[in-house]
Amino acid sequence: MRTERNLTRLDRVFARLDREPERPAHIDVPRMSRHRVALFAGTLAFYLAIVWAVVITSWLVRLDWQVMFFRPYQQWAGIHWFVDYYVVLGQRGPTAVMVAAWLGWRSWRQHTLRPLLTLGVSLLLLNITVGAAKIGMGRLGPHYATSIGSNEMGLGGDIFPSGHTANAVVTWGILAYLASTPRARRWLSALSAVTSLGVGMATVYLGTHWLSDVLLGWAAGLLILLALPWCEPLIARAEVAVFDLRDRWRDRPGALAPAPAAPVAAPVMIKPRTTPAQDDAAAREAVGGTGRAARAPTYHLAPGPHTTRAERTPVTPVGSRRPPHADRVPRGASTSAARPVPGG
């Protein structure tokens, strides 16, 4: 008869999380394959095409103005509250904290710094590339546009490409990049694509970005994810350097060494408790000329920790607990032979 209970899905999840592998070898590091190089080249061409279309004020700029005049936030005002919350998934601070917490837990469980270092490298590349493009092109947003139909380039703005969209692509896409199985990588890739697509559309809905800003933000984030395999050797060297620094810090001369075992101390002599009357009698004997005082017996206490009475294991005494009595006859003996006869 089987007595095992059926494990629920939550029990299986926690059982899986309780495993603690040592730098799992089955997790492969993505490499720059031909397929990835082709995707990188195609995304880079798309990036440059969007920039060129905006610079020459092509049909894409006219589409930007048409979407802006449509004012989606007024057409669908009922979902404004939801979009205000959803767009937070593209803000760098909250998303970086959430993803770093998850990857930090993975780093601790797998005894490797690669997840956290990969996230740090991707965010560094994001800040450098997207930040430089924003400052270099200086495009104004829809709310600050000065001339209808113009591309609003070189006027000191910082919205081209969209930072929210690029950050959503990189931050959530890094989970798919670091996935341990192909199936998890496919599911996380689809989830990150849908999330970043929603964040980009949310910025267009709120009127904070042009449609072309969002297109360029998607391309900018995807370029960073596709280029990460080129950074893997640097990430590996950084991990080794961090672990070497940790080992040197532990082995430094001033590091605290483990405390040595305490030597066995000599036995401690203790005296038994005496009453004041016994102390006075001993003093009188010493002064009364007997020549020596009655010595009280001394006891030696063995060294080491001692347990209190409450911590000791109780011992059941052997035999009867009743005190001995002269007239008591053991059970089973003859009462006539043991007890004296009255008057005899």
Side-chain angles (χ1 to χ4, degrees), residues 58-235:
S58 66
W59 61 270
L60 186 57
V61 175
R62 294 193 295 271
L63 180 61
D64 287 339
W65 281 97
Q66 290 175 1
V67 174
M68 193 271 287
F69 285 134
F70 182 71
R71 290 180 174 82
Y73 58 89
Q74 292 181 355
Q75 300 292 333
W76 302 294
I79 63 172
H80 199 292
W81 64 272
F82 172 77
V83 177
D84 282 336
Y85 286 106
Y86 186 84
V87 80
V88 176
L89 295 177
Q91 290 184 359
R92 193 160 307 166
T95 56
V97 170
M98 290 187 288
V99 175
W102 167 253
L103 295 182
W105 182 85
R106 277 191 57 184
S107 296
W108 175 72
R109 295 288 291 183
Q110 298 177 353
H111 301 282
T112 175
L113 293 177
R114 179 174 171 262
L116 282 178
L117 291 176
T118 305
L119 176 64
V121 169
S122 62
L123 293 180
L124 180 62
L125 291 176
L126 177 67
N127 291 330
I128 293 176
T129 56
V130 176
K134 283 175 174 288
I135 297 174
M137 288 182 275
R139 190 182 189 188
L140 294 176
H143 293 316
Y144 303 97
T146 58
S147 178
I148 297 176
S150 67
N151 57 14
E152 302 296 320
M153 297 279 286
L155 299 178
D158 58 352
I159 54 98
F160 187 63
S162 170
H164 273 69
T165 306
N167 182 73
V169 173
V170 172
T171 306
W172 302 113
I174 202 70
L175 299 179
Y177 179 82
L178 294 171
S180 57
T181 60
R183 181 181 180 182
R185 187 175 295 116
R186 287 193 298 268
W187 280 101
L188 289 174
S189 298
L191 181 61
S192 62
V194 172
T195 303
S196 58
L197 177 65
V199 169
M201 290 294 98
T203 59
V204 175
Y205 169 88
L206 296 173
T208 57
H209 279 287
W210 306 100
L211 181 60
S212 57
D213 298 343
V214 173
L215 296 177
L216 196 65
W218 284 331
L222 187 57
L223 283 175
I224 294 173
L225 289 179
L226 292 174
L228 278 179
W230 280 328
C231 303
E232 286 293 344
L234 176 62
I235 294 172

Side-chain angles (χ1 to χ4, degrees), residues 21-43:
E22 290 279 347
R23 298 179 60 85
H26 70 279
I27 298 180
D28 58 334
V29 177
R31 297 181 179 181
M32 209 64 185
S33 61
R34 293 182 179 179
H35 178 68
R36 186 179 287 267
V37 171
L39 285 177
F40 182 85
T43 306

Side-chain angles (χ1 to χ4, degrees), residues 238-252:
E239 183 181 14
V240 173
V242 171
F243 282 129
D244 289 344
L245 180 62
R246 181 200 61 181
D247 295 338
R248 288 197 300 269
W249 176 261
R250 288 178 176 178
D251 299 338
R252 70 188 189 280

